[in-house]
Amino acid sequence: MENVRSICLNVYLCAHKYRTKMIVTILFAAIILMGCIALLSVRMILKKDGRFPDMHVGNHAVLREKGISCARTQDREAAGRKTLAERMMMN
């Protein structure tokens, strides 16, 4: 009986030691994560009309100049075009 008590006490103390290390590690990771989120949102918070930048392909002037558009726009344009057979039937 004394041996079982000794084993249980050792297991409890060992688990307690690792539990505190685990809590410290989780808190450290949470602090780092909160810091990263804060740094990523600085521009959005400090700007007068703060919002995330628009990353849509169709809204970039350089890509528009090159004639590049998003896949949805290209699909819509392709759906509006008539096939060769349709054009021949009209004549």
PDB file of all heavy atoms in Angstrom, residues 1 18 43 45 52 59 77:
ATOM      1  N   MET A   1       0.814  -1.186   0.000  1.00  0.00           N
ATOM      2  CA  MET A   1       0.000   0.000   0.000  1.00  0.00           C
ATOM      3  C   MET A   1       0.862   1.256   0.000  1.00  0.00           C
ATOM      4  O   MET A   1       0.529   2.211  -0.682  1.00  0.00           O
ATOM      5  CB  MET A   1      -0.904  -0.050   1.227  1.00  0.00           C
ATOM      6  CG  MET A   1      -1.918   1.027   1.242  1.00  0.00           C
ATOM      7  SD  MET A   1      -3.117   0.687  -0.021  1.00  0.00           S
ATOM      8  CE  MET A   1      -4.323   1.854   0.391  1.00  0.00           C
ATOM      9  N   TYR A  18       5.005  19.439 -15.274  1.00  0.00           N
ATOM     10  CA  TYR A  18       4.818  19.621 -16.712  1.00  0.00           C
ATOM     11  C   TYR A  18       3.606  20.488 -17.024  1.00  0.00           C
ATOM     12  O   TYR A  18       3.578  21.169 -18.030  1.00  0.00           O
ATOM     13  CB  TYR A  18       4.701  18.268 -17.420  1.00  0.00           C
ATOM     14  CG  TYR A  18       6.015  17.530 -17.458  1.00  0.00           C
ATOM     15  CD1 TYR A  18       6.149  16.285 -16.874  1.00  0.00           C
ATOM     16  CD2 TYR A  18       7.131  18.095 -18.069  1.00  0.00           C
ATOM     17  CE1 TYR A  18       7.362  15.612 -16.917  1.00  0.00           C
ATOM     18  CE2 TYR A  18       8.348  17.438 -18.107  1.00  0.00           C
ATOM     19  CZ  TYR A  18       8.461  16.197 -17.523  1.00  0.00           C
ATOM     20  OH  TYR A  18       9.649  15.539 -17.560  1.00  0.00           O
ATOM     21  N   ARG A  43      -1.848  49.363 -39.693  1.00  0.00           N
ATOM     22  CA  ARG A  43      -2.198  50.215 -40.830  1.00  0.00           C
ATOM     23  C   ARG A  43      -3.709  50.441 -40.895  1.00  0.00           C
ATOM     24  O   ARG A  43      -4.167  51.540 -41.177  1.00  0.00           O
ATOM     25  CB  ARG A  43      -1.701  49.573 -42.116  1.00  0.00           C
ATOM     26  CG  ARG A  43      -2.011  50.385 -43.343  1.00  0.00           C
ATOM     27  CD  ARG A  43      -1.463  49.718 -44.566  1.00  0.00           C
ATOM     28  NE  ARG A  43      -1.920  50.425 -45.764  1.00  0.00           N
ATOM     29  CZ  ARG A  43      -1.830  49.936 -46.971  1.00  0.00           C
ATOM     30  NH1 ARG A  43      -1.294  48.756 -47.154  1.00  0.00           N
ATOM     31  NH2 ARG A  43      -2.259  50.614 -47.993  1.00  0.00           N
ATOM     32  N   ILE A  45      -5.844  50.308 -38.407  1.00  0.00           N
ATOM     33  CA  ILE A  45      -6.315  51.080 -37.257  1.00  0.00           C
ATOM     34  C   ILE A  45      -5.941  52.554 -37.386  1.00  0.00           C
ATOM     35  O   ILE A  45      -6.745  53.432 -37.097  1.00  0.00           O
ATOM     36  CB  ILE A  45      -5.739  50.489 -35.944  1.00  0.00           C
ATOM     37  CG1 ILE A  45      -6.349  49.114 -35.687  1.00  0.00           C
ATOM     38  CG2 ILE A  45      -5.984  51.410 -34.772  1.00  0.00           C
ATOM     39  CD1 ILE A  45      -5.675  48.354 -34.560  1.00  0.00           C
ATOM     40  N   PHE A  52      -9.257  46.748 -44.799  1.00  0.00           N
ATOM     41  CA  PHE A  52      -8.249  45.932 -45.453  1.00  0.00           C
ATOM     42  C   PHE A  52      -8.118  46.349 -46.915  1.00  0.00           C
ATOM     43  O   PHE A  52      -9.106  46.707 -47.557  1.00  0.00           O
ATOM     44  CB  PHE A  52      -8.622  44.451 -45.367  1.00  0.00           C
ATOM     45  CG  PHE A  52      -8.460  43.890 -43.994  1.00  0.00           C
ATOM     46  CD1 PHE A  52      -9.557  43.582 -43.225  1.00  0.00           C
ATOM     47  CD2 PHE A  52      -7.205  43.665 -43.466  1.00  0.00           C
ATOM     48  CE1 PHE A  52      -9.421  43.070 -41.957  1.00  0.00           C
ATOM     49  CE2 PHE A  52      -7.049  43.151 -42.207  1.00  0.00           C
ATOM     50  CZ  PHE A  52      -8.160  42.851 -41.445  1.00  0.00           C
ATOM     51  N   ASN A  59      -9.202  45.264 -59.764  1.00  0.00           N
ATOM     52  CA  ASN A  59      -9.070  46.620 -59.223  1.00  0.00           C
ATOM     53  C   ASN A  59      -7.650  47.167 -59.274  1.00  0.00           C
ATOM     54  O   ASN A  59      -7.406  48.274 -58.815  1.00  0.00           O
ATOM     55  CB  ASN A  59      -9.589  46.663 -57.789  1.00  0.00           C
ATOM     56  CG  ASN A  59     -11.068  46.397 -57.716  1.00  0.00           C
ATOM     57  OD1 ASN A  59     -11.788  46.575 -58.683  1.00  0.00           O
ATOM     58  ND2 ASN A  59     -11.533  45.966 -56.564  1.00  0.00           N
ATOM     59  N   GLU A  77     -17.349  37.008 -69.848  1.00  0.00           N
ATOM     60  CA  GLU A  77     -17.124  37.475 -71.212  1.00  0.00           C
ATOM     61  C   GLU A  77     -17.199  36.321 -72.205  1.00  0.00           C
ATOM     62  O   GLU A  77     -17.748  36.464 -73.292  1.00  0.00           O
ATOM     63  CB  GLU A  77     -15.770  38.171 -71.313  1.00  0.00           C
ATOM     64  CG  GLU A  77     -15.706  39.501 -70.604  1.00  0.00           C
ATOM     65  CD  GLU A  77     -14.299  40.065 -70.557  1.00  0.00           C
ATOM     66  OE1 GLU A  77     -13.351  39.366 -70.998  1.00  0.00           O
ATOM     67  OE2 GLU A  77     -14.140  41.191 -70.067  1.00  0.00           O
TER      68      GLU A  77
END
